[in-house]
Amino acid sequence: EDQVTQSPEALRLQEGESSSLNCSYTVSGLRGLFWYRQDPGKGPEFLFTLYSAGEEKEKERLKATLTKKESFLHITAPKPEDSATYLCAVRGSNDYKLSFGAGTTVTVRA
Amino acid sequence: EPEVTQTPSHQVTQMGQEVILRCVPISNHLYFYWYRQILGQKVEFLVSFYNNEISEKSEIFDDQFSVERPDGSNFTLKIRSTKLEDSAMYFCASSQYRGLRETQYFGPGTRLLVL
C-alpha cells in the first residue's frame, strides 16, 4: 500500500524566512508525485507534478524537487499569502487514485 | 479558468437519511473521482469513474455509496443511509487524461454533517 509521510506537521515562518517541507513516500512504481495547496475549508489546489528523480519544478516562491524516496517543497522568501496547508500525494503504477500525506500547515507572519 | 464546481457547499442531515452530493467536472475531462477528508485527517480516496463505470474504489466505498453520471455534465455521489462517521468534507476531482500526464483538479468541497 502506498504511504506518504509529511514533515513537519506545522511550520511558522517570519516573512522572508525561507524553509523546506519534506514528503517521504513508499509506492509501487511511482507514476507521479503531486503537491497541492489547501486553504482552510477549501479544496486542494494543484501546484506541481514530479515524475522522476532529479526533476525540479518552480512556481513563484515555490520549488519542488524529487528523489527516489522523498520530495521537498522549498519556499523562498515567503509572504503571508503563502500561509496554507501543503499536501503531498503519490500515484502508483497500478492506481488511479492519489494517496495523500497529512500535510504541512505553514503560517507566515508579517 | 475552468474549474470543478460542487453543490451544495454545506449539507446537514439526520442519521439514516439519504444524501446526494453533486459535482460538475471541468467540461473536457473524462475521468472523475470522489475523495473525502474527515476533520483533521488526510484526504482519502473513495472512487474513480470513467465511461460510466467504476474504475477503482477504496474499502470505504461500500454498498451504502454509489456514483452516477446522470447527464453530460453532472457527477453525483449518493450515500444511501448516512452514519455519524460519514461527516466529512467530500471533494470531487476530474482529470482530462489518464496515465503518465494525468493531473486531478479538485472542487471546493461539500461539508457534510450527519446528526
Side-chain angles (χ1 to χ4, degrees):
Chain A
E1 186 175 322
D2 303 341
Q3 298 229 352
V4 180
T5 303
Q6 292 188 245
S7 62
E9 289 183 14
L11 192 58
R12 293 176 64 85
L13 300 172
Q14 200 67 34
E15 184 172 3
E17 179 189 0
S18 301
S19 189
S20 295
L21 286 55
N22 178 263
C23 170
S24 61
Y25 63 91
T26 305
V27 65
S28 175
L30 181 71
R31 294 191 69 180
L33 184 139
F34 302 82
W35 283 98
Y36 286 85
R37 169 189 170 128
Q38 186 176 31
D39 292 307
K42 302 288 179 63
E45 175 189 342
F46 173 72
L47 293 173
F48 304 110
T49 311
L50 301 166
Y51 293 102
S52 56
E55 190 174 359
E56 299 182 352
K57 294 271 180 74
E58 279 190 75
K59 180 179 179 180
E60 295 181 358
R61 295 175 293 283
L62 301 178
K63 179 179 176 181
T65 62
L66 181 65
T67 72
K68 287 188 177 178
K69 293 186 178 180
E70 57 191 356
S71 176
F72 293 92
L73 184 66
H74 307 277
I75 309 179
T76 302
K79 298 182 177 182
E81 53 262 42
D82 296 322
S83 296
T85 296
Y86 291 87
L87 303 176
C88 174
V90 297
R91 194 162 70 88
S93 59
N94 297 319
D95 297 329
Y96 300 113
K97 70 177 186 290
L98 296 179
S99 298
F100 281 85
T104 294
T105 299
V106 175
T107 304
V108 183
R109 296 165 290 173
Chain B
E1 185 175 320
E3 57 184 22
V4 177
T5 59
Q6 292 184 241
T7 55
S9 58
H10 294 78
Q11 174 99 42
V12 181
T13 190
Q14 295 292 322
M15 188 170 56
Q17 295 296 304
E18 174 183 288
V19 295
I20 298 176
L21 309 184
R22 292 182 167 79
C23 167
V24 178
I26 295 172
S27 63
N28 62 344
H29 286 192
L30 300 175
Y31 305 93
F32 314 117
Y33 306 83
W34 284 101
Y35 292 79
R36 77 174 186 188
Q37 187 176 31
I38 295 171
L39 189 63
Q41 297 187 21
K42 295 183 181 183
V43 176
E44 301 175 288
F45 169 77
L46 294 177
V47 66
S48 70
F49 189 85
Y50 167 70
N51 199 26
N52 285 316
E53 289 186 353
I54 291 175
S55 314
E56 185 180 7
K57 61 181 181 179
S58 71
E59 292 179 354
I60 304 168
F61 194 87
D62 61 22
D63 291 344
Q64 71 160 341
F65 291 92
S66 62
V67 289
E68 191 179 30
R69 187 149 164 86
D71 54 43
S73 59
N74 290 284
F75 179 50
T76 63
L77 174 69
K78 181 192 290 186
I79 309 175
R80 263 180 272 281
S81 178
T82 50
K83 304 172 186 173
L84 297 176
E85 54 265 38
D86 294 328
S87 296
M89 275 290 266
Y90 286 81
F91 296 111
C92 174
S94 70
S95 64
Q96 186 175 13
Y97 306 107
R98 177 149 284 170
L100 195 58
R101 297 292 156 183
E102 175 180 5
T103 298
Q104 294 180 24
Y105 294 91
F106 284 74
T110 294
R111 184 176 297 280
L112 176 65
L113 179 61
V114 183
L115 301 175

